[in-house]
Amino acid sequence: MPDPMKGYEAFGVDHYRPKEDFPALIVSYPNLFYCCNTCNSHKSRYWPESALQLMRFIPNPCDHIMFEHMKFVGYEVVPRTSAGRWTVDLLDLNDPEVVAFREFIVETIERYVEDESRLQRLEEAVHVAERSGALSATDAQAKLLIIGKKMFNVRKHLARLRGS
């Protein structure tokens, strides 16, 4: 689960096939993927070593359509295949703390989106008031400056929460 509160240090490059067992693939692009450090630590050196373990693989986002194996329902990850179940269990994707954090992030984003929309409406109302003469150009500019500063902060927070 992305943790935008920690920023870039929360993520790293994981080796789909463990580098200790597949040294020739250490810098092979198809073997590398962006992964949160928590999931990387849960995965560790796991790799299915026998035919019996073939259904216990972790879907690779470069090779698999993730939605075929698991999906979000609310704030939880629901497995759709045995590989999805294995992944959810191995990576502990529905740890109560992780689920609560997802909920917090999504609800916080929703609040900021509402704030952004409210500020846009307020900005338009100031323009309408200025055009109708109900507000002087000086007063309109002062109000727009305040709205602009608030909008800047809302968009900055949204960008951080969304991981962009």
Side-chain angles (χ1 to χ4, degrees), residues 1 39 70 77 87-89 91-95 98-99 102:
M1 160 63 202
C39 287
M70 57 194 116
V77 180
T87 302
V88 168
D89 292 344
L91 303 182
D92 202 12
L93 296 177
N94 289 322
D95 171 76
V98 172
V99 172
R102 285 185 200 127

Side-chain angles (χ1 to χ4, degrees), residues 63-84:
D63 296 331
H64 302 99
I65 298 170
M66 299 305 282
F67 184 74
E68 290 177 0
H69 296 283
M70 57 194 116
K71 67 178 183 172
F72 276 102
V73 174
Y75 305 109
E76 292 193 3
V77 180
V78 175
R80 301 179 70 156
T81 64
S82 58

Side-chain angles (χ1 to χ4, degrees), residues 9-22:
E9 73 258 13
F11 293 90
V13 175
D14 187 20
H15 294 85
Y16 183 65
R17 289 173 180 82
K19 59 187 173 190
E20 296 85 352
D21 301 325
F22 299 88

Side-chain angles (χ1 to χ4, degrees), residues 1 4 18 24 31 34-35 40 56 117 124 126 139-140 156 159:
M1 160 63 202
N31 193 47
Y34 191 59
C35 179
N40 193 353
R56 289 185 165 185
S117 180
E124 182 55 35
V126 169
D139 288 343
K156 176 180 68 174

Side-chain angles (χ1 to χ4, degrees), residues 22-52:
F22 299 88
L25 300 176
I26 287 176
V27 294
S28 171
Y29 183 77
N31 193 47
L32 304 173
F33 65 97
Y34 191 59
C35 179
C36 80
N37 291 332
T38 302
C39 287
N40 193 353
S41 139
H42 287 302
K43 177 185 165 283
S44 188
R45 288 183 60 186
Y46 177 76
W47 183 253
E49 295 178 11
S50 69
L52 292 174

